[in-house]
Amino acid sequence: MALRPDEFYDHALTAADGERRLPLARMTGWDISPFEPDGLRVAPLRPPVLPEPPRHGEDPSNCQACRERGDGIWLNDSWRLTRITGVGVPLVLMLHPRDHYDMADLPDELAAELGVLSTHIVRHVQALPHISRAHVYRIGDGGAHLHIWFFARPEGQTQLYGSWMPVWDDLLPEYPAEVAEADAAIVADALVASIGGRRSDASESPHD
């Protein structure tokens, strides 16, 4: 059984200093870290908040993703794919179920579709010129409606390897929108060819 919230907090504090600051993560010493360890310090660890605040869209009647169920660069009966704007890497896409599900309550049929569809998206993103890798992320703390992130890593930028890539994305200047839009259209057309569905021009979601 997992530690209770108070037990987890007390356990974490055993590694903290008098200001409840944990030591720097080992990741800050990696050569892909966007930060030099000198001068960095960890924010004080705050006590647990119980009950946790509700995520956006816990109530389907107030869910933005549900209101936008017809928007995307690509859609089929169950899924839609959008392009996230205002990002620093070449392309960020987001996959959503058109109906209101989180990952834990996704029906098995849709879960199977998610696996196949994610593979096709990664395949088509990595087929773009000057893209080396498609990173896939599912977090879920901000929104209750399932959303899967796909980040395109630019070729040759080895500092953008791995788990630091979303941080680098926030640090980089905004990528040229017309280039990202054209690449997103290529991915959407490739999805239509490989898995069906249809292309759409209602494609953009702001980066949050």
Side-chain angles (χ1 to χ4, degrees):
M1 180 184 297
L3 296 176
R4 296 192 314 266
D6 59 313
E7 292 174 330
F8 180 89
Y9 181 66
D10 289 343
H11 172 72
L13 288 182
T14 64
D17 64 16
E19 296 182 325
R20 306 191 317 279
R21 299 180 192 275
L22 293 163
L24 288 178
R26 291 184 297 275
M27 293 170 60
T28 58
W30 296 353
D31 62 2
I32 59 173
S33 172
F35 307 111
E36 295 179 348
D38 291 346
L40 278 181
R41 65 176 185 169
V42 179
L45 185 65
R46 295 190 292 266
V49 176
L50 297 169
E52 292 190 4
R55 299 174 297 172
H56 174 77
E58 295 281 8
D59 179 356
S61 67
N62 190 33
C63 175
Q64 183 176 346
C66 287
R67 290 195 297 269
E68 297 173 350
R69 71 185 310 275
D71 295 345
I73 61 171
W74 172 91
L75 304 98
N76 68 10
D77 290 343
S78 302
W79 300 93
R80 64 189 184 94
L81 186 69
T82 60
R83 179 173 76 86
I84 306 301
T85 60
V87 300
V89 297
L91 189 62
V92 177
L93 303 175
M94 185 178 284
L95 181 65
H96 325 247
R98 296 185 69 182
D99 294 331
H100 192 82
Y101 294 110
D102 200 353
M103 181 165 267
D105 52 30
L106 203 63
D108 286 351
E109 180 181 355
L110 289 183
E113 290 179 9
L114 173 61
V116 174
L117 185 51
S118 296
T119 299
H120 281 247
I121 294 169
V122 167
R123 184 178 299 156
H124 300 322
V125 170
Q126 290 185 174
L128 293 168
H130 310 304
I131 299 300
S132 283
R133 208 83 63 226
H135 292 198
V136 184
Y137 304 92
R138 183 263 172 178
I139 311 298
D141 280 334
H145 193 122
L146 176 62
H147 50 291
I148 308 291
W149 298 82
F150 298 83
F151 279 67
R153 180 174 67 74
E155 182 180 23
Q157 290 299 145
T158 56
Q159 268 186 294
L160 274 62
Y161 277 1
S163 50
W164 278 115
M165 186 171 171
V167 179
W168 279 108
D169 172 64
D170 274 346
L171 295 168
L172 290 164
E174 185 174 344
Y175 194 81
E178 66 279 4
V179 179
E181 185 175 2
D183 280 344
I186 292 171
V187 172
D189 286 338
L191 277 175
V192 172
S194 70
I195 209 166
R198 62 183 175 86
R199 201 38 216 283
S200 173
D201 293 325
S203 60
E204 298 181 349
S205 300
H207 188 23
D208 54 12

